Amino acid sequence: MSNLTLIVCLLVVMAMAYQLGMVRSRKVATINPVQRMHSRPQHYGMMVALWAVLPAFFILVIWNLLAPDVIAALVQQSLPPEIQSQDAQAVAVTLRRIANLAANFGIVAEAADWELAAAAYMQQLQHSSGLMLTALMAAIAAAGLTFSYFKIAPQRRARHQVERVVKAVLVICSTIAILTTIGIVLSMVTETLKFFSFIKPTDFFFGTTWNPRFSTTGATDQGSFGLLPLLSGTMMIAVIALLVAIPLGLMVAIYLAEYAPAKLRNTVKPVIEVLAGIPTIVYGFFALVTVGPFLSDLGQTLGLTIRATSALTAGVVMGIMIIPFISSLSDDIITQVPKALRDGSLGLGATKSETIRKVVLPAALPGIVGAVLLAASRAIGETMIVVLAAGNAPALTANPFEAVSTVTVTIVNQLTGDNDFASPQSLVAFALGLTLFVITLLLNIIALVIVRKYREQYE
Amino acid sequence: MSNDKLQTATVTSADINDIKLQESLAATAAQPVKITARDVKVFYGDNQAIHGIDLDVYQNEVVAFIGPSGCGKSTFLRCLNRMNDTIDICRVTGEIKLDDRNIYDPTLDVVQLRAQVGMVFQKPNPFPKSIYENIAYGPKLHGLAEKKSDLDDIVESSLRRAGLWNEVKDRLNQPGTGLSGGQQQRLCIARTIAVSPEVILMDEPCSALDPIATSIIEELIDELKQNFTIVIVTHNMQQAARVSDRTAFFHLGNLIEIGATNELFTNPKQKRTEDYITGRYG
């Protein structure tokens, strides 16, 4: 039976066990009128259901983890001795051919007789493995069900057992989330270390030229992998974005929090938050088609040379994108400033705007800084807008009207196309990714620390 | 409508007593009237919180407002410097005069009014700034000090008058929020004094303080009386008896009785006042 069928069967068993447990607990309750049942019937039902299903499910998981290896080992032993004596890689290739045969995928070239025999053996092993698993699971499920079914008694603390299982499930889920993060970081670190075996870290972190020659172009040397032009492009665009977003976002936040009537605030705030929900690729072509040419024309009338795809274009559009991050968070923070402080200031004869400037904003400042840092880390990690609108020219320049490139864009460039994943040209993407990750992580940590410190102030 | 009239009628009948009392008091105090309130009504949306109050406050006296929770004493207090303006749904009718000038006159600048009528709140609310900046805030706003040395003088004298100078003179640059509750409240009083108001409104200034801090504030109120007119709302009847010259008893948005403090507590004219001060309700 396939795993899916087995899981469906388990669910059916679970439902039945639940009913059985409920019915049984009610019966036990009527038999023992003196002693009150510890838990409610649902808990006994759930306890029986969990006993019936969980052990069997673990068997299913473990079996699926171990069985392929065991089968492969058995098949390998059955192979002719001259094949077995080959080196490990050749054996692995052979086993893969056999597995493909057994799965009826077919293989390259004619299958040898011994290969067909091994494939048949493998099929047979897989079949019996499935049967054994089904039998084992059925037995364990039945045992668990019976065991817990007859354990139902007034003093049995089913409620606590169910509670423990709930807690365990939650712990497992959060562990998965954390392990995934750690896994991503580890994989990036290993690939980055591989990259640093080609290129010296100092050349990477302090190099001022970015020119990774692709091996497909026939170049013999590896090219130069200087991070600085990319980092400066990233920072320039992020700074432009913040220059656009901070004043606008903050004004919006102040208006919404202090001046707007509640009705307007409740309508406008979600509308502004829609800005954060627009796919960034849409912003990208908005920048490319509308904002870029507009800025370029504007530059002409002012006598400036502004390229249509430039740091400025990408920065302005990205600034629009992150407005809601700043406005929404700052609005929440400004609203949290206690009314007592406002009253204190107004009571001394300050006007509303004086109160906001001199009391409310300073009090909310740490939180606002936190909001800005979160927006900044968003801006630094943003890709699609920059891919389309920044011009993709990895040059070290201080002129925002020129085309630049960023870390994220370069990662896209290095990983798209026909690549050899063992070459520094591809591996550099991981080094860049890790650098970016560390920068945004630091910004996030700083932001969180600031926001938390701010919270303590009023609690 | 008829109900409304009835209430007005009861208030007027109570007022007849008051006027007599006030006359006798005015004669003894011989102080000019500082604040005059006539037929003040306050509405929160459709809810009427105050049903027409007439009341006079004399210069350099301490008037205490007492009454059970929700009786409108804080609401009325907040009318006196138009702090109720900050609440959108709040509407005030009637007439309140400060030195013969109607404070609800549209031509009157509310900023000026609040500089003249300062307020101390229930919970100490120092700004999250340094002690010095807390005091200097108001004078800076109103341009009371030209030079830094003038400002320093204002800060020092305000803190001295609030009895806080000796405790904080060595740490003026530390945050005001780091002081103890009682010190914070005196800081707020000093902050209010710093803009040299004529009237100080205090909204249960001691309700968040311990008994020792409370007694310090009460002594302070006694001293401040020399220079300021003080209106204090309090839940604590002993406090009203200790600090005030006259006491007003509020109930359900009406002013039930106002009179010299010792007289009101020993010999209340109204049954409801007597019930309240003897602890029958509230």
Side-chain angles (χ1 to χ4, degrees):
Chain A
M1 270 202 273
S2 77
N3 285 335
L4 194 64
T5 330
L6 285 174
I7 288 172
V8 171
C9 290
L10 275 185
L11 288 177
V12 173
V13 169
M14 192 171 180
M16 278 167 24
Y18 181 75
Q19 291 300 330
L20 282 174
M22 286 229 297
V23 171
R24 164 89 180 167
S25 76
R26 291 216 171 91
K27 200 189 264 173
V28 171
T30 48
I31 296 169
N32 292 297
V34 187
Q35 206 175 358
R36 253 177 61 88
M37 296 295 277
H38 172 272
S39 310
R40 313 227 27 238
Q42 293 92 309
H43 300 121
Y44 287 105
M46 193 43 93
M47 180 186 79
V48 173
L50 289 172
W51 269 102
V53 167
L54 279 185
F57 182 73
F58 280 121
I59 291 294
L60 178 71
V61 171
I62 292 168
W63 193 279
N64 274 297
L65 286 176
L66 296 182
D69 287 345
V70 173
I71 290 172
L74 286 173
V75 170
Q76 193 183 339
Q77 272 173 15
S78 75
L79 293 178
E82 67 273 16
I83 308 286
Q84 281 192 55
S85 58
Q86 285 174 323
D87 65 290
Q89 205 172 351
V91 173
V93 171
T94 315
L95 280 175
R96 212 176 300 148
R97 280 171 67 86
I98 294 170
N100 281 342
L101 274 176
N104 295 326
F105 279 143
I107 50 166
V108 186
E110 195 81 5
D113 277 346
W114 59 268
E115 280 181 329
L116 287 174
Y121 180 48
M122 190 180 235
Q123 269 181 337
Q124 184 204 331
L125 282 177
Q126 281 167 346
H127 183 68
S128 47
S129 150
L131 284 182
M132 278 158 70
L133 174 61
T134 312
L136 190 60
M137 280 175 64
I140 286 181
L145 198 153
T146 333
F147 172 73
S148 56
Y149 185 78
F150 289 109
K151 277 273 187 179
I152 290 176
Q155 68 275 20
R156 187 90 178 150
R157 302 183 172 188
R159 199 171 195 158
H160 295 190
Q161 289 195 356
V162 173
E163 204 58 27
R164 271 202 293 277
V165 172
V166 168
K167 189 180 158 194
V169 168
L170 295 179
V171 168
I172 289 170
C173 288
S174 45
T175 316
I176 289 173
I178 292 167
L179 286 182
T180 315
T181 317
I182 295 174
I184 290 174
V185 172
L186 281 183
S187 80
M188 288 212 295
V189 167
T190 49
E191 300 294 319
T192 305
L193 289 178
K194 267 191 223 162
F195 170 72
F196 283 141
S197 68
F198 290 102
I199 307 289
K200 274 191 291 180
T202 46
D203 289 348
F204 174 67
F205 285 115
F206 303 110
T208 52
T209 327
W210 176 263
N211 186 16
R213 305 215 173 94
F214 278 99
S215 47
T216 44
T217 58
T220 45
D221 66 337
Q222 289 167 329
S224 34
F225 295 88
L227 174 68
L228 289 182
L230 307 179
L231 210 55
S232 81
T234 304
M235 290 304 161
M236 190 193 284
I237 291 179
V239 166
I240 294 171
L242 290 177
L243 285 180
V244 172
I246 292 176
L248 276 172
L250 217 50
M251 301 289 175
V252 169
I254 291 172
Y255 175 71
L256 286 184
E258 297 284 335
Y259 290 93
K263 222 174 166 183
L264 185 70
R265 179 171 185 259
N266 293 340
T267 338
V268 168
K269 208 177 167 193
V271 171
I272 292 174
E273 278 164 5
V274 165
L275 278 179
I278 297 175
T280 53
I281 187 78
V282 175
Y283 277 110
F285 62 70
F286 171 60
L288 195 64
V289 174
T290 314
V291 179
F294 170 75
L295 287 176
S296 181
D297 290 348
L298 189 74
Q300 252 171 8
T301 56
L302 295 173
L304 292 169
T305 318
I306 303 179
R307 300 204 20 186
T309 54
S310 65
L312 186 67
T313 312
V316 167
V317 175
M318 198 190 284
I320 296 169
M321 183 192 79
I322 58 176
I323 283 174
F325 287 85
I326 295 182
S327 71
S328 225
L329 284 173
S330 303
D331 172 57
D332 291 342
I333 290 156
I334 291 173
T335 330
Q336 270 178 31
V337 172
K339 191 175 183 313
L341 283 185
R342 293 188 179 86
D343 282 352
S345 172
L346 293 173
L348 287 170
T351 62
K352 195 160 186 172
S353 79
E354 282 168 341
T355 301
I356 292 167
R357 254 184 309 126
K358 296 189 173 157
V359 173
V360 177
L361 283 186
L365 192 65
I368 292 171
V369 171
V372 168
L373 287 180
L374 283 179
S377 70
R378 180 70 208 256
I380 288 170
E382 169 50 36
T383 312
M384 284 328 293
I385 295 175
V386 199
V387 166
L388 290 176
N392 190 16
L396 197 56
T397 172
N399 182 355
F401 305 144
E402 287 287 324
V404 295
S405 186
T406 68
V407 177
T408 49
V409 171
T410 312
I411 293 177
V412 173
N413 288 342
Q414 296 307 110
L415 287 183
T416 44
D418 202 1
N419 281 333
D420 172 10
F421 262 80
S423 72
Q425 280 80 7
S426 297
L427 287 174
V428 70
F430 293 96
L432 291 172
L434 192 63
T435 314
L436 206 57
F437 174 74
V438 170
I439 293 174
T440 49
L441 185 71
L442 284 180
L443 279 179
N444 277 330
I445 289 174
I446 296 172
L448 282 179
V449 167
I450 291 175
V451 169
R452 194 170 301 157
K453 203 173 162 195
Y454 159 78
R455 273 210 196 110
E456 284 166 359
Q457 217 172 339
Y458 297 123
E459 268 168 13
Chain B
M1 191 63 208
S2 63
N3 190 24
D4 217 354
K5 251 180 199 160
L6 203 73
Q7 269 162 348
T8 328
T10 46
V11 171
T12 345
S13 76
D15 276 350
I16 296 168
N17 283 326
D18 294 342
I19 290 162
K20 279 180 197 156
L21 256 172
Q22 282 168 16
E23 277 167 355
S24 65
L25 219 118
T28 53
Q31 289 284 5
V33 176
K34 189 73 188 168
I35 298 175
T36 326
R38 288 293 174 266
D39 195 26
V40 174
K41 293 176 181 161
V42 181
F43 304 83
Y44 289 113
D46 294 333
N47 267 342
Q48 188 167 2
I50 304 235
H51 302 275
I53 284 185
D54 298 329
L55 188 140
D56 288 335
V57 177
Y58 300 101
Q59 196 157 333
N60 293 62
E61 73 164 347
V62 178
V63 178
F65 292 174
I66 60 168
S69 298
C71 67
K73 55 193 191 300
S74 283
T75 301
F76 181 69
L77 186 80
R78 290 167 64 93
C79 291
L80 300 181
N81 70 342
R82 290 181 55 178
M83 278 306 280
N84 284 330
D85 291 12
T86 62
I87 300 164
D88 288 336
I89 54 163
C90 184
R91 194 159 52 82
V92 181
T93 65
E95 187 185 63
I96 300 177
K97 280 181 172 172
L98 175 72
D99 292 333
D100 283 335
R101 174 117 204 253
N102 186 0
I103 65 168
Y104 280 88
D105 185 341
T107 61
L108 179 127
D109 182 8
V110 71
V111 167
Q112 292 295 317
L113 170 71
R114 289 185 190 148
Q116 269 176 295
V117 184
M119 187 153 193
V120 175
F121 296 86
Q122 188 168 1
K123 250 180 80 183
N125 56 350
F127 303 130
K129 300 171 184 286
S130 70
I131 294 170
Y132 184 95
E133 285 298 325
N134 261 285
I135 309 291
Y137 182 81
K140 276 186 186 170
L141 281 180
H142 299 291
L144 297 184
E146 294 282 307
K147 287 176 294 185
K148 175 85 168 71
S149 59
D150 294 349
L151 198 59
D152 290 348
D153 289 345
I154 293 178
V155 170
E156 181 176 342
S157 69
S158 308
L159 283 170
R160 275 190 195 285
R161 287 163 87 181
L164 197 58
W165 175 250
N166 287 328
E167 290 161 61
V168 301
K169 63 183 172 194
D170 299 323
R171 45 171 177 158
L172 291 176
N173 289 319
Q174 286 176 24
T177 42
L179 297 172
S180 74
Q183 287 174 325
Q184 287 189 11
Q185 194 60 297
R186 276 181 285 152
L187 182 68
C188 292
I189 292 174
R191 184 174 75 183
T192 310
I193 296 172
V195 290
S196 352
E198 293 155 25
V199 181
I200 300 178
L201 309 176
M202 297 187 173
D203 189 358
E204 297 184 36
C206 302
S207 66
L209 304 183
D210 62 74
I212 293 169
T214 301
S215 74
I216 295 174
I217 302 258
E218 285 176 5
E219 282 168 31
L220 180 60
I221 291 172
D222 218 40
E223 284 167 33
L224 292 175
K225 202 168 80 171
Q226 313 297 322
N227 302 299
F228 306 100
T229 307
I230 295 173
V231 184
I232 177 171
V233 164
T234 175
H235 251 119
N236 180 333
M237 281 180 280
Q238 284 77 22
Q239 182 171 62
R242 283 192 297 264
V243 301
S244 68
D245 301 318
R246 287 194 305 146
T247 299
F249 171 62
F250 287 70
H251 187 234
L252 298 175
N254 292 307
L255 175 63
I256 305 302
E257 184 170 352
I258 179 167
T261 297
N262 50 10
E263 199 155 335
L264 185 127
F265 278 105
T266 52
N267 190 15
K269 300 274 179 297
Q270 298 286 323
K271 176 85 169 66
R272 278 184 282 180
T273 317
E274 190 182 343
D275 286 349
Y276 181 68
I277 60 178
T278 52
R280 290 254 173 92
Y281 64 87

